[in-house]
Amino acid sequence: MNETREHILKVAFNLFLLKSYKEVTMAELVEKTGMSKGAFYHYFKSKEQLFLEALKHCMSSITPDFSIFDKNSLYEFYHQYAVYQNRILNSLQLYGDDLDRGLTVNYYSLVFDALKVFPSLREKLLEHEQNELKAWKGVISTARKNGEIRSFMNDEQIAKVFIYTNDGIAIRISLMKDCSEDASDTLLELWDSFYMELKG
């Protein structure tokens, strides 16, 4: 990606996190980038266009590549995933110099704002959700076949427990601005206990 475009996207995303989509103005965006109005508008013609691209850029950078995780062991898969998720939270926290962990939660607010302005974004989110569910179900199915786990729950139910606890903990820790709790430690504490139950 062009360095100037990348710079604009990061500055814009930081402003949208610190304030909100409605509060940020194009004049403020131009000023914060340190660019001339003409140069800025060469890349982005409207706040709507910039908002959508900045959000998509962030989403693509934090969406996990499930192929990098061990698929032969559920235990290894979720341990690697927990570490990865903690890096994601930190990347949101450090996406700009003005941000702190307490503002990570604004990412979720931005997503909700974007869904109102761009309903088509829901399709991208649903696609990610299906890919995530598929990855978890795949490793859970392998773990069941290999005798790693035994459970009356079906693969999709087990996958959703892992996914939904991850989502909930990410939001909870983001909300607790002064909390020193580490997301991966909290996830692993719960997931290890759940894993022991699955082993029977």
Side-chain angles (χ1 to χ4, degrees):
M1 181 181 290
N2 180 289
E3 286 185 15
T4 303
R5 194 177 190 87
E6 175 92 11
H7 171 66
I8 295 172
L9 289 173
K10 285 191 175 184
V11 169
F13 187 76
N14 292 345
L15 279 174
F16 290 132
L17 278 180
L18 287 166
K19 295 186 171 186
S20 70
Y21 170 70
K22 288 184 178 179
E23 292 175 353
V24 175
T25 66
M26 284 296 276
E28 187 177 14
L29 287 163
V30 171
E31 179 188 348
K32 290 291 186 181
T33 59
M35 300 171 63
S36 70
K37 191 172 182 179
F40 183 93
Y41 276 87
H42 170 74
Y43 291 95
F44 296 98
K45 307 297 184 195
S46 69
K47 185 172 80 167
E48 290 80 7
Q49 177 197 4
L50 178 53
F51 177 60
L52 182 59
E53 191 164 333
L55 186 58
K56 283 184 174 179
H57 179 62
C58 176
M59 287 172 65
S60 65
S61 68
I62 66 174
T63 298
D65 175 6
F66 294 102
S67 66
I68 67 175
F69 305 134
D70 190 330
K71 295 183 182 60
N72 297 314
S73 164
L74 175 59
Y75 180 85
E76 292 299 328
F77 181 91
Y78 77 72
H79 271 257
Q80 293 167 11
Y81 186 83
V83 172
Y84 185 90
Q85 285 298 93
N86 196 54
R87 282 204 302 266
I88 286 176
L89 281 179
N90 288 333
S91 74
L92 279 178
Q93 175 190 350
L94 300 173
Y95 205 73
D97 296 334
D98 298 327
L99 303 180
D100 60 26
R101 169 162 278 189
L103 290 173
T104 305
V105 71
N106 287 2
Y107 169 76
Y108 299 102
S109 297
L110 281 184
V111 171
F112 293 133
D113 278 349
L115 287 172
K116 293 175 187 174
V117 181
F118 306 103
S120 61
L121 186 64
R122 190 175 302 277
E123 292 175 18
K124 186 173 179 63
L125 293 173
L126 289 173
E127 180 183 344
H128 165 69
E129 182 183 326
Q130 290 303 311
N131 289 338
E132 185 176 21
L133 184 61
K134 181 180 178 182
W136 278 100
K137 284 171 65 177
V139 73
I140 290 164
S141 176
T142 299
R144 194 188 298 275
K145 289 174 185 173
N146 293 342
E148 183 183 357
I149 62 170
R150 297 189 262 318
S151 175
F152 64 89
M153 297 173 69
N154 64 41
D155 295 351
E156 184 164 334
Q157 289 170 332
I158 295 170
K160 285 180 177 179
V161 170
F162 279 106
I163 293 169
Y164 295 167
T165 51
N166 172 56
D167 292 345
I169 287 170
I171 293 174
R172 177 183 178 274
I173 290 179
S174 298
L175 283 168
M176 299 181 69
K177 183 174 182 179
D178 297 322
C179 182
S180 60
E181 190 174 8
D182 187 276
S184 62
D185 289 344
T186 306
L187 273 175
L188 289 177
E189 182 181 349
L190 290 173
W191 284 355
D192 282 341
S193 296
F194 182 49
Y195 177 75
M196 295 307 293
E197 290 292 328
L198 294 175
K199 287 186 71 173

